Amino acid sequence: KNQVEQSPQSLIILEGKNCTLQCNYTVSPFSNLRWYKQDTGRGPVSLTIMTFSENTKSNGRYTATLDADTKQSSLHITASQLSDSASYICVVSAGDMRFGAGTRLTVKP
Amino acid sequence: NAGVTQTPKFQVLKTGQSMTLQCAQDMNHEYMSWYRQDPGMGLRLIHYSVGAGITDQGEVPNGYNVSRSTTEDFPLRLLSAAPSQTSVYFCASSYGAGASNEQFFGPGTRLTVL
């Protein structure tokens, strides 16, 4: 069983709408949690990183939250754009890195 | 800076053939790694290196070899390709091996083994 579970697997939203992606993990203890964006045919690119003591981190229209007690993280995208269409991957570091399978987001005009 | 580069971008092999996937970085990073990405699964670590001359196995090393003769290059060799090795392969590098170090990924190599 993967120690990092993401939901939903895929999501379609209209341009301009907001959305929230979920990441639940069982990795313990952990050093940090990152969200990556992976465009089709490209490698992942880091969006945010949070340590155990942080509970929110923003990067433009992207805001990540972390609840270390419940082992949950979310990535909120505000005012979506067509360029937000990508896979979003949650990665938990605990000595080694544990990757979630990702959420495939499609933003339609 | 070119960042992390990978060649080729696409490759088709027949079962039993061997090949080398190339990876290079120009950021003077000590840590380099290879992952495979399969549908419905997270990236899985194949091999990694913490510096020139040092390599180690990751989660799924069987069927793959690596070497690190220079800081810049980290090739991945498939010894005898099998259909189970059909995947997208990503090379990554970071300043160090610690969890706080951001990994920079290459564009990937899509490999099909027939």
Side-chain angles (χ1 to χ4, degrees), chain A:
Chain A
K1 180 172 163 54
N2 197 356
Q3 294 177 294
V4 181
E5 298 285 347
Q6 292 188 242
S7 63
Q9 282 188 318
S10 62
L11 181 62
I12 301 174
I13 63 173
L14 292 177
E15 186 178 13
K17 298 297 185 182
N18 303 335
C19 68
T20 300
L21 314 180
Q22 299 291 342
C23 174
N24 296 340
Y25 61 93
T26 59
V27 179
S28 181
F30 86 103
S31 300
N32 59 57
L33 186 148
R34 287 185 188 272
W35 283 91
Y36 281 86
K37 179 186 180 187
Q38 184 177 19
D39 292 314
T40 300
R42 308 289 292 272
V45 175
S46 181
L47 287 175
T48 64
I49 176 174
M50 288 181 291
T51 61
F52 182 87
S53 59
E54 295 176 296
N55 54 27
T56 187
K57 184 70 69 76
S58 291
N59 179 0
R61 295 180 295 102
Y62 301 100
T63 299
T65 64
L66 173 64
D67 185 333
D69 292 331
T70 62
K71 296 185 171 58
Q72 294 179 326
S73 177
S74 65
L75 181 68
H76 185 75
I77 303 175
T78 304
S80 61
Q81 300 176 358
L82 298 179
S83 59
D84 292 331
S85 294
S87 288
Y88 292 85
I89 301 172
C90 174
V91 184
V92 181
S93 295
D96 59 358
M97 297 172 68
R98 301 286 173 165
F99 289 79
T103 292
R104 176 69 200 175
L105 174 66
T106 302
V107 180
K108 294 198 167 184

Side-chain angles (χ1 to χ4, degrees), chain B residues 4-90:
Chain B
V4 180
T5 58
Q6 291 183 238
T7 56
K9 195 162 180 61
F10 301 95
Q11 182 70 50
V12 178
L13 292 178
K14 294 181 180 179
T15 297
Q17 288 184 315
S18 62
M19 79 158 296
T20 299
L21 307 185
Q22 301 292 343
C23 173
Q25 52 90 12
D26 61 359
M27 297 175 281
N28 202 31
H29 285 169
E30 289 296 325
Y31 185 85
M32 296 186 74
S33 54
W34 276 101
Y35 294 89
R36 59 178 290 172
Q37 186 175 42
D38 299 297
M41 302 181 69
L43 275 78
R44 292 182 291 168
L45 183 64
I46 304 171
H47 284 286
Y48 65 95
S49 169
V50 298
I54 305 169
T55 63
D56 208 344
Q57 297 181 349
E59 182 184 356
V60 288
N62 292 343
Y64 308 95
N65 272 358
V66 292
S67 60
R68 185 93 180 272
S69 57
T70 67
T71 299
E72 295 78 18
D73 300 297
F74 191 44
L76 177 73
R77 280 183 289 277
L78 279 71
L79 309 173
S80 178
S84 61
Q85 293 178 304
T86 293
S87 187
V88 182
Y89 292 85
F90 289 98

